[in-house]
Amino acid sequence: MKILSNKLNFFVLLSILCNYSIAQTPEENPKLIVGIVVDQMRYDYISRYWSKYSDGGFKRLFNEGFSTSNGYFNYAPTKTGPGHASIYTGTTPAYHGIVANEYYSRDEQKEVYCADDENENTIGADTHDGKMSPRRLMATTWTDELKLATNQQSKIISISMKNRGAVFPAGHLADGAFWLDDSTGNWISSSFYMDKLPQWVAEENEGKRRIDEFAAMKWETLLPMDAYTESISDDNNYEKLFPGEKTSTFPHDLKKIIKAAKKNKFGYVKKSPYGNTLTTELALKAIEVENLGGNSSTDALLLSYSSTDKIGHMFAPASIEVEDTYLRLDLELKELFETLDKKIGIENVVIFLTADHGGSHNPQYLKDLKLPSDFYDEKAILAEVENELSKAYGAGKWIVYGGVSEIYLNRSLIKQKGLQLIEVQTKVADVMLSHSCFRDVLIGENLRLNEYQKGYTALYDNSYNVGNSPDVIGVFAGNYYDKHSKKGTGHSTAFTYDTHIPIMMMGWKIPHKVSDQKVYITDIAPTICSFLHINPPSACYYNPIQGILK
């Protein structure tokens, strides 16, 4: 009887272990991941325009999926190139190396563009804009890891108005990355990804193109003018002008604007909501022709809506132009989600939406409201720094690149004169701190040698890359801008207007959850990788979002 009992216990234990093993088997993966980055989208654009959104776009994401009111960037400065790179690598510029859109390469001793690659060729046009690749990216992306995990079986398609908005999400292994060429109006790519455009993209560049239709249109408001109660008057003194325009008021006649423009004429379509429409239309075509979500392995469609950024820079957050753009984008998202419903089923798709950075209100607008804001003279400050260094250490060109927020020093000259780098960096900081526009001035050697955990210093520390980052970083007081840039707006600071962004997910096994938990932009990539049961990107040191699945 004892032997029988022992055998019975053994089989019971074996059954438990087998059931445990089955329970630990990875569950079925989603068929498609759709990543959406809305360029320069502040978090408050969700609530600000809420009453005018449809039920099928931003509201659907909020009402059906996961969203947090506490989504942030964990580094500074915040710009488009670093933003897209960070979202898809799951790490900060300190590790992936894309510290700005343009920065000084000490190895090459010149200014470089973050996605530029002279070894590649433009596919789809005879221009320079396709000579791009992710070669400056020092880490893999989650899209790279998906390709590796599925033995290249997953399809990865990336689409944006901007080359950097397409390249960094695509990573190194994508099947296609496509962006719009300003001078020809063609959809183009890089020889890094392909030898020729696929037919479904090439035919967009033939005959009467959609971009030609938009280039002949007027940008009128979607709603009656008096419905834009969330925005200031259309006739104000805070907005930039399109070429040929005498006022910044509606309507904006793209045909006249393009006629008055001297170069990159199709770039002005990007500066209207129609740039987003072109992005959506190509995305819908990609879903259909590439059968995304219908293959044996999980596919990925990566979209970056760039017109929001270009319009934000021109008109600033309080404008009717920005509001109108988001109301139109909301309808674009609704169409995209409805297509996914019909073709794949939203329960088989993971959708995430976030931003690559935020944006500040126009500084003069804030100043007129008696809020903290002011202007500085960048040229004068840089000239003063050069002059003081020459007084202290002898004549020479001490600054090789940058503005007051990102100064790259002439390290060859510093070495030639037998000086310590930290000494010269400190001297520059002392000169800059005499100006009230700076809250602080950080020096590279301190960021290299120390680790900071709190406040804005920690954000700049997370961005400090030994090879690519500046020697001296001016940290502005809030809402300070160069006096030569009083119209429109910008971004790149450590303040919340630049770092507080939406982070939303919907579909597959993601339940409805409205949260205030702190989520960083770098948490998105490990979350996607946990869904797919694959390795996180090579330099990802962050954690998946907790409690996001059922």
Side-chain angles (χ1 to χ4, degrees), residues 23-51:
Q24 295 304 299
T25 302
E27 297 177 350
E28 184 180 352
N29 287 343
K31 294 180 179 179
L32 178 66
I33 310 292
V34 178
I36 301 172
V37 178
V38 184
D39 206 327
Q40 203 186 122
M41 184 175 182
R42 294 160 51 107
Y43 173 78
D44 63 350
Y45 288 159
I46 298 291
S47 56
R48 187 181 182 99
Y49 309 134
W50 181 264
S51 65

Side-chain angles (χ1 to χ4, degrees), residues 422 425-426 443-452 461:
I422 193 169
Q425 289 177 341
T426 303
I443 63 175
E445 284 297 274
N446 283 345
L447 294 172
R448 182 177 73 87
L449 297 171
N450 300 291
E451 187 171 346
Y452 300 91
D461 189 30

Side-chain angles (χ1 to χ4, degrees), residues 31 67 204 271 273 291 400 429 500 527:
K31 294 180 179 179
S67 63
E204 294 296 308
K271 294 182 179 182
N291 193 31
V400 294
H500 186 203
T527 302

Side-chain angles (χ1 to χ4, degrees), residues 84-134:
H84 285 79
S86 298
I87 292 165
Y88 284 87
T89 62
T91 195
T92 63
Y95 297 99
H96 64 60
I98 307 300
V99 298
N101 295 334
E102 295 88 14
Y103 55 92
Y104 186 77
S105 170
R106 295 190 178 93
D107 290 337
E108 300 167 72
Q109 295 188 338
K110 65 176 184 178
E111 176 189 355
V112 297
Y113 175 63
C114 61
D116 186 56
D117 192 339
E118 291 296 329
N119 294 320
E120 302 298 339
N121 296 312
T122 300
I123 304 299
D126 186 19
T127 63
H128 183 275
D129 197 37
K131 297 173 77 64
M132 304 288 158
S133 84

Side-chain angles (χ1 to χ4, degrees), residues 468-488:
N468 296 340
S469 290
D471 288 293
V472 182
I473 300 168
V475 181
F476 294 115
N479 293 299
Y480 265 80
Y481 278 84
D482 185 9
K483 71 175 187 177
H484 300 293
S485 303
K486 290 189 176 183
K487 305 282 188 177

